[in-house]
Amino acid sequence: MKILGIESSADETAAAIVANGRNILAQTVSSSQDILIKYGGIYPEAAARKQLEVILPVLQAALNQYKQPLTTIDAVAVTVGPGLIGSLLVGIETAKTIAVIFNKPIIPVNHTLAHVYANWLLAPNNSQLTTNNQQPSFPALCLIVSGGHTLLLLMKNHGDFAVIGRTVDDAAGEALDKTARLIGLPYPGGPAIEKLAGDLPDHFHFPRGMINSKNLDFSFSGFKTAVLREIQKQNLPTNLQLITYNSQLATSIAASIQHAVAEVLVSKTVQAVETYKPKSLLISGGVSANILLRKILREKLLQYPQTQLFIPEIRYSTDNAATVASFAYYNYLPKKWHDIGVYPSLSEFKLKKRTNLVKYE
Ligand code: KG4
Ligand code: ZN
């Protein structure tokens, strides 16, 4: 079964064609990050306008890679939430148009849960795109770390996700984006911090929120305040960013931010591995592209040989449409185009079999 996936929930516009949930036959991503840098973050109106401009070229590029007519696909999968309403609608209306013209079913997809499926993807020649040469087995523990979510899920099967840990305030990516901005780094903050920090040590030891709590929840607000306080100590001249005023200090703060975020994510994930003894650990979402996080996690997981660690290729950690198509294959609940809605604040709670969406509790 070949599914065309479409993703447009925030600042990426993406299309992909995936066979049987695993083999990527085509995949393109266009990012609006360059235009968002000047706004210092996602500016919904600008993001949606950019999505409109690029959706058809992105789709065309995916079809050029696929080299077959669109009629040969079996279904269209599209992200219906969570995300920015204007951006989501661009992908949804495109998917609906294809469904109407070619009489194809649509599978609505939850963007957050789709991230997990980066760990099932393979290149067209079957070569692995994750660090592990097997297919994930259940029960799987999923760490989803993106700009909007920080979640630990226990996945007993496809479509059977239970939330076992989540952030009580900011998401990890959001904390990176906000603290990067405090230093004077561009959006998105995670990669900018990573680049600046290199492999410098953790000088500031910013607080690791809830690291000693018994539950598996996360908190990043205390850490954010600690970074702000450290910067305020500098009494920066007005209109001068820390990065231009004292780049050495900014670099050291960036390194400490990266250590704080990576360590707290790893610590809670390891706690979950000990509690649930999963067969697989699947990491996904933009923050999981972080090299330091990957390194610490790899080292820690050596102590738990019963749990196979899966780390996707970096371009499938961040937003893309291959994960959307893969999710749709394994959670195949086709709908007619007129039954597809937009759900900007879709939550990550229980997956409702009936709709593929999730219920607020
Ligand atoms: O999953 P994603 O691409 O989009 C959302 O669904 O939000 O995640 C975006 C987040 C941003 O907060 C960005 O700063 C962060 O992922 N990010 C990273 C890295 N690449 C992206 N954080 C740390 N290190 C990276 N290399
Ligand atoms: Zn995402």
Side-chain angles (χ1 to χ4, degrees):
M1 169 177 277
K2 289 183 271 189
I3 298 183
L4 166 69
I6 297 177
E7 157 64 42
S8 69
S9 60
D11 49 355
E12 260 88 26
T13 316
I17 297 163
V18 177
N20 300 324
R22 302 202 72 193
N23 294 94
I24 302 172
L25 306 180
Q27 102 99 9
T28 47
V29 180
S30 164
S31 173
S32 326
Q33 282 167 1
D34 49 343
I35 65 151
L36 299 178
I37 282 173
K38 65 172 189 266
Y39 297 107
I42 294 183
Y43 178 62
E45 174 69 26
R49 234 181 300 130
K50 187 74 185 177
Q51 296 275 7
L52 261 181
E53 265 171 46
V54 298
I55 187 79
L56 292 180
V58 160
L59 189 59
Q60 178 73 70
L63 290 172
N64 291 349
Q65 286 174 30
Y66 179 52
K67 296 193 182 80
Q68 291 181 57
L70 201 46
T71 44
T72 61
I73 61 153
D74 299 285
V76 188
V78 65
T79 297
V80 294
L84 304 167
I85 187 161
S87 294
L88 286 165
L89 280 170
V90 173
I92 292 172
E93 291 309 308
T94 306
K96 283 184 178 177
T97 307
I98 293 168
V100 169
I101 295 173
F102 298 102
N103 191 26
K104 305 285 179 191
I106 304 189
I107 300 101
V109 173
N110 176 321
H111 172 88
T112 315
L113 296 177
H115 269 302
V116 173
Y117 283 83
N119 293 291
W120 266 268
L121 297 174
L122 298 170
N125 62 0
N126 270 336
S127 67
Q128 293 293 325
L129 293 173
T130 71
T131 50
N132 201 306
N133 58 11
Q134 294 164 30
Q135 182 164 180
S137 42
F138 299 119
L141 175 70
C142 312
L143 172 71
I144 309 176
V145 270
S146 65
H149 293 82
T150 302
L151 284 170
L152 277 167
L153 304 179
L154 191 65
M155 184 182 183
K156 291 197 183 140
N157 210 327
H158 296 294
D160 185 353
F161 295 93
V163 178
I164 56 171
R166 57 191 318 220
T167 182
V168 298
D169 40 55
D170 285 352
E174 191 180 358
L176 286 165
D177 293 339
K178 286 178 179 167
T179 49
R181 198 171 175 178
L182 292 175
I183 303 178
L185 293 176
Y187 175 87
I193 284 180
E194 177 171 61
K195 195 163 159 221
L196 187 64
D199 50 12
L200 286 176
D202 179 11
H203 178 73
F204 288 97
H205 300 285
F206 292 126
R208 273 69 167 150
M210 297 182 80
I211 201 157
N212 295 317
S213 71
K214 291 269 176 289
N215 64 24
L216 295 169
D217 288 341
F218 302 84
S219 166
F220 293 99
S221 62
F223 137 84
K224 213 176 52 191
T225 313
V227 174
L228 177 63
R229 263 198 231 111
E230 203 51 57
I231 295 170
Q232 281 170 339
K233 278 190 204 159
Q234 299 304 309
N235 281 324
L236 287 178
T238 340
N239 294 334
L240 213 49
Q241 305 268 33
L242 185 64
I243 186 73
T244 34
Y245 180 67
N246 184 342
S247 72
Q248 209 178 344
L249 178 67
T251 307
S252 183
I253 291 181
S256 301
I257 290 172
Q258 186 175 233
H259 277 279
V261 172
E263 277 171 27
V264 82
L265 291 174
V266 172
S267 166
K268 289 286 172 168
T269 305
V270 168
Q271 197 180 323
V273 167
E274 284 183 355
T275 310
Y276 292 94
K277 300 182 175 42
K279 289 199 177 134
S280 325
L281 168 59
L282 317 179
I283 70 164
S284 63
V287 181
S288 75
N290 188 266
I291 305 294
L292 181 69
L293 171 68
R294 289 169 170 231
K295 180 169 168 276
I296 309 178
L297 204 51
R298 245 190 227 114
E299 286 164 4
K300 282 275 181 208
L301 260 286
L302 293 176
Q303 295 167 35
Y304 304 91
Q306 81 282 4
T307 302
Q308 294 277 311
L309 174 63
F310 288 76
I311 302 181
E313 232 181 52
I314 283 180
R315 64 191 161 134
Y316 297 109
S317 294
T318 48
D319 289 350
N320 67 85
T323 54
V324 172
S326 176
F327 174 96
Y329 175 81
Y330 288 107
N331 301 273
Y332 193 77
L333 292 162
K335 303 253 165 221
K336 285 278 183 208
W337 67 268
H338 41 78
D339 291 328
I340 300 293
V342 57
Y343 302 85
S345 49
L346 197 58
S347 100
E348 66 283 355
F349 286 104
K350 222 185 261 165
L351 185 72
K352 267 208 277 183
K353 264 286 173 205
R354 196 172 49 80
T355 59
N356 244 0
L357 306 182
V358 282
K359 194 172 85 186
Y360 281 99
E361 298 197 323

